[in-house]
Amino acid sequence: GRIIRRVHDFVRKSEPKLAECDLVEVLEDSIGFIEADAKLHSVRLVRKVAPGPVSVYADRVMIEQVLLNLMRNAIDAMSGDIPPERRRMTIRLTLLDGQARIRVADRGTGISQAVREKLFTPFFTTKQEGMGMGLNICRSIIEFHRGRLWVEDNPKGGTIFSMSLPTAQ
């Protein structure tokens, strides 16, 4: 309910609630929300998180919404014809040059170049039940936080969505 209210507020252009928060905690909470769904779809979750707290100035609930959307998409990408033993989602948090970087990697079928060019476009979707707003809103949220959201191929097969946010130093 909190996530839906905050996204609704964001879409209405109300002021997000920025505060210093620990990105490790935000990430762990988001993983906690999605773990049951991952298990239901036989997706193994692998965490690779930088040690210690990682402080960023952010609207915590909005960042959780982005992470949940990226993880949900990763699970969906592996739910079809991907054999259960290959269904692996790796979530990595690293620090580099004053930036916190989170990568959500799946081992799905990947994204074609034609689809990739439209991924962040409003109302573009590859899902039968999708509205085509998730990634567009996610990118807007991350850019509002002075960060960046992008996609690349996973060398092991599948896709990696990466986001970076400036640290609070």
Side-chain angles (χ1 to χ4, degrees):
R2 285 184 327 178
I3 290 171
I4 291 169
R5 275 193 300 282
R6 296 299 299 141
V7 170
H8 185 258
D9 289 347
F10 180 74
V11 171
R12 283 194 340 220
K13 299 287 187 204
S14 68
E15 196 61 35
K17 296 178 173 106
L18 297 178
E20 190 169 347
C21 60
D22 180 3
L23 198 53
V24 174
E25 284 181 14
V26 175
L27 183 58
E28 289 298 331
D29 286 351
S30 299
I31 290 170
F33 283 130
I34 204 84
E35 273 180 318
D37 200 31
K39 199 172 282 189
L40 182 67
H41 289 89
S42 303
V43 173
R44 188 170 145 233
L45 272 169
V46 178
R47 293 173 174 88
K48 296 184 178 180
V49 178
V54 176
S55 290
V56 295
Y57 284 104
D59 184 309
R60 178 187 181 102
V61 176
M62 292 180 110
I63 300 301
E64 283 177 356
Q65 194 274 328
V66 170
L67 292 168
L68 287 169
N69 191 65
L70 297 179
M71 290 187 281
R72 175 76 241 153
N73 287 350
I75 291 169
D76 288 348
M78 295 182 284
S79 293
D81 297 331
I82 305 299
E85 65 274 5
R86 196 174 146 205
R87 295 179 188 180
R88 179 178 175 161
M89 177 170 46
T90 303
I91 301 152
R92 182 183 310 260
L93 170 60
T94 56
L95 292 171
L96 182 65
D97 298 329
Q99 296 283 314
R101 182 172 170 184
I102 295 177
R103 301 176 74 187
V104 178
D106 68 59
R107 302 285 303 275
T109 57
I111 299 172
S112 73
Q113 188 59 38
V115 169
R116 184 177 302 205
E117 290 172 8
K118 300 175 189 170
L119 263 185
F120 296 99
T121 305
F123 307 111
F124 174 79
T125 185
T126 59
K127 298 179 182 180
Q128 203 166 28
E129 302 294 321
M131 290 181 10
M133 292 303 293
L135 288 173
N136 179 262
I137 290 172
C138 288
R139 181 174 265 178
S140 296
I141 288 169
I142 296 304
E143 288 176 351
F144 173 83
H145 287 83
R146 298 176 305 136
R148 197 169 81 97
L149 175 63
W150 69 98
V151 62
E152 55 198 323
D153 290 331
N154 185 343
K156 297 178 180 179
T159 306
I160 301 171
F161 279 88
S162 298
M163 60 184 259
S164 64
L165 294 169
T167 57
Q169 281 87 16

